């Protein structure tokens, strides 16, 4: 039986949703992945041959980098202040990275569990430069689920 013919999706825009607050001006998302440890079980088979079996281990925590143009919105800065000053009860949040199509309809949601901001980087400030100023937020998370 052949597989169904599915159209590939093009991510037109991206958003970050945290505690029902949506930030839609995100231009780039990188490093988003699910990963787990691999356990190697080394054993001898019944006929005496050496065999290695690979088993799934614990899930690994991850990091994702979000880039957006510099705006007056200070949601990234206020969130990172909580983690910098050790207020982890308010810094750890559940959220989602949302991929939208060209009509603004959500295509996919990547839920981040116990996410908190690790770093915030502002692009190079150079007088006379005409490039867009950006800010990069690195978020670390304990687990990810795909909707």
């Amino acid at each position: 039986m052949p597989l169904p013919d599915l159209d590939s999706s093009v991510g037109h825009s991206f958003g970050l949703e945290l505690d029902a607050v949506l930030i839609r001006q995100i231009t780039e998302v990188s490093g988003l992945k699910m990963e787990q440890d691999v356990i190697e079980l080394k054993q001898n088979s019944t006929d005496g041959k050496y065999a290695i079996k690979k088993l799934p281990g614990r899930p690994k925590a991850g990091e994702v980098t979000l880039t957006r143009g510099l705006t007056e919105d200070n949601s990234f800065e206020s969130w990172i202040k909580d983690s910098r000053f050790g207020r982890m009860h308010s810094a750890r949040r559940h959220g989602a990275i949302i991929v939208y199509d060209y009509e603004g309809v959500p295509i996919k949601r990547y839920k981040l569990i116990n996410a908190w901001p690790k770093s915030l980087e502002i692009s190079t400030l150079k007088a006379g430069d005409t490039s867009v100023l950006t800010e990069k937020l690195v978020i670390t998370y304990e687990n990810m689920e795909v909707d």
Side-chain angles (χ1 to χ4, degrees):
M1 181 166 113
L3 294 173
D5 185 24
L6 301 174
D7 291 333
S8 294
S9 298
V10 175
H12 183 72
S13 64
F14 314 99
L16 173 66
E17 184 180 66
L18 293 168
D19 297 335
V21 175
L22 182 61
I23 303 167
R24 284 192 72 138
Q25 304 89 358
I26 297 183
T27 58
E28 183 179 342
V29 177
S30 62
L32 189 63
K33 68 178 181 177
M34 294 172 70
E35 189 176 9
Q36 66 187 42
D37 289 330
V38 175
I39 300 169
E40 284 191 2
L41 177 62
K42 299 173 184 175
Q43 61 186 9
N44 289 330
S45 62
T46 55
D47 59 353
K49 292 184 181 175
Y50 180 74
I52 297 176
K53 189 177 218 173
K54 293 196 176 195
L55 305 169
R58 295 182 183 151
K60 291 184 178 183
E63 287 185 356
V64 62
T65 302
L66 306 176
T67 305
R68 72 172 181 173
L70 191 64
T71 65
E72 292 179 5
D73 179 20
N74 65 352
S75 53
F76 283 0
E77 292 89 351
S78 60
W79 189 25
I80 203 165
K81 279 181 187 176
D82 286 341
S83 66
R84 286 185 53 98
F85 294 115
R87 295 187 295 260
M88 295 308 290
H89 63 281
S90 60
R92 285 187 208 276
R93 298 183 185 172
H94 297 325
I97 295 174
I98 307 166
V99 180
Y100 297 97
D101 67 5
Y102 69 96
E103 293 178 331
V105 177
I107 299 172
K108 202 118 178 164
R109 295 174 64 88
Y110 299 94
K111 291 183 182 178
L112 306 178
I113 310 300
N114 285 333
W116 55 274
K118 175 184 167 184
S119 67
L120 178 65
E121 177 184 349
I122 309 303
S123 62
T124 303
L125 303 173
K126 185 176 178 183
D129 193 7
T130 59
S131 60
V132 175
L133 293 175
T134 61
E135 54 186 355
K136 287 186 179 187
L137 179 70
V138 178
I139 300 172
T140 185
Y141 54 91
E142 294 176 5
N143 197 5
M144 183 177 73
E145 298 172 2
V146 181
D147 263 356

